[in-house]
Amino acid sequence: MQTPDGAPTEIDLSRPSAARVYDYFLGGAHNFEIDRQLAEQIAAMTPNLAATMRSGREFLRRAVRVLLDAGIDQFLDIGSGIPTVGNVHEVAQAANPQARIVYVDIDPVAVAHSHELLAGNERATAVLADLREPKLILDHARSSGLIDFDRPLGILLAGVVHFVPDADRPVDILATLRAAAAPGSYLVISHSTFEDQPQEMLDAQRLSARTATEITLRSRAEITGFFGDWTILEPGVVHMPLWRPESPSDVDEHPERFGAFGGVARHDRAVG
């Protein structure tokens, strides 16, 4: 059985989904009326939120290209969301047709549509899992046959860690993921923040409590801590448009208005 729009029947249509709200802001079609209603409320409070979503995708694409240039050819994209233009496998396999990608998301709609998009692509798959169960995610990635944890990989956490409340110990979750990665691996994180944000943005973020995945805003210092002892690449953990823009024109006068920090770190082999 399918719900309206062809989505799996296990979807709870009584609550909006963060992934489907995100899809709506990116101009996607994989969302329902309850998602659109919340999105419109948020948009009324923060008119630039769609631009913020796009900025997050652009940051992820730039980071993936940096990892590809560093020789990374396998990616674990956790919190991948509903497929949209410029997905990780499209960016990665355009540069390296042998690149392998495992997408992970908690939303059945995101995973179902990922399977549709990836039909016939033997080097990419999607699994349904919760970031709060990192060992299960690692098991899924291993069993997929696409990720070799004895080799460097890229772990992508774009716009997802802020859905994990402090009570669920995100520091420990990130430590588990980092511990599974071989030296030479990279970690990409973008995360919403309260720093430098106007009150209306903070108020809009609180509307996320209506979804099953409420957002926890964190400081730059807290977000930096998620990288552990890995080496953070230049320019550090910065407002997303400031992370290696492709041209000066990509950064406006107020990069902080996008409300999130982004950064990339490398797992260097210990000396001695």
Side-chain angles (χ1 to χ4, degrees):
M1 285 182 64
Q2 302 277 305
T3 60
D5 295 353
T9 53
E10 64 265 26
I11 294 169
D12 179 6
L13 294 182
S14 68
R15 300 183 70 180
S17 153
R20 299 194 305 264
V21 170
Y22 186 76
D23 175 69
Y24 174 81
F25 277 118
L26 289 173
H30 305 309
N31 51 75
F32 303 108
E33 181 59 28
I34 194 166
D35 308 307
R36 295 187 282 271
Q37 289 175 357
L38 178 59
E40 292 297 339
Q41 286 183 274
I42 296 173
M45 301 172 71
T46 56
N48 70 322
L49 193 56
T52 297
M53 303 290 189
R54 290 192 293 271
S55 179
R57 296 297 297 188
E58 291 162 3
F59 161 75
L60 176 60
R61 287 192 284 269
R62 294 197 304 274
V64 167
R65 292 188 187 107
V66 167
L67 270 58
L68 287 163
D69 288 344
I72 297 298
D73 63 0
Q74 52 178 355
F75 298 86
L76 180 58
D77 185 357
I78 304 172
S80 51
I82 292 173
T84 186
V85 175
N87 288 295
V88 170
H89 75 278
E90 294 174 331
V91 175
Q93 293 177 344
N96 179 0
Q98 303 303 309
R100 294 166 291 169
I101 300 91
V102 173
Y103 291 112
V104 181
D105 205 273
I106 193 175
D107 191 312
V109 169
V111 175
H113 285 296
S114 293
H115 283 155
E116 292 179 8
L117 181 70
L118 298 172
N121 188 332
E122 296 180 353
R123 295 182 178 274
T125 191
V127 298
L128 183 68
D130 189 331
L131 175 56
R132 292 171 295 182
E133 297 181 288
K135 293 181 180 178
L136 180 60
I137 289 175
L138 296 171
D139 287 344
H140 280 314
R142 289 189 186 95
S143 63
S144 73
L146 296 178
I147 300 294
D148 179 358
F149 285 98
D150 291 329
R151 299 176 56 247
L153 79 153
I155 301 174
L156 313 178
L157 294 164
V160 64
V161 182
H162 51 225
F163 291 119
V164 179
D166 292 339
D168 286 331
R169 304 177 69 86
V171 171
D172 293 345
I173 291 171
L174 268 292
T176 298
L177 294 173
R178 292 196 312 271
S185 295
Y186 288 79
L187 175 61
V188 176
I189 298 175
S190 59
H191 192 300
S192 294
T193 183
F194 55 79
E195 291 189 13
D196 307 321
Q197 298 307 300
Q199 188 59 47
E200 58 267 25
M201 175 65 83
L202 302 181
D203 292 341
Q205 294 281 20
R206 293 190 182 97
L207 290 178
S208 70
R210 298 186 187 179
T211 73
T213 46
E214 182 177 357
I215 290 175
T216 298
L217 303 177
R218 295 187 172 96
S219 68
R220 186 200 304 258
E222 289 176 298
I223 298 165
T224 301
F226 292 139
F227 291 103
D229 60 357
W230 288 23
T231 301
I232 297 177
L233 305 190
E234 293 294 335
V237 179
V238 296
H239 290 294
M240 293 187 299
L242 298 176
W243 199 89
R244 304 196 182 187
E246 294 176 351
S247 72
S249 62
D250 291 338
V251 182
D252 65 19
E253 295 181 354
H254 299 285
E256 74 282 354
R257 71 186 177 93
F258 296 102
F261 290 116
V264 178
R266 183 181 60 246
H267 179 13
D268 291 327
R269 189 180 299 277
V271 177

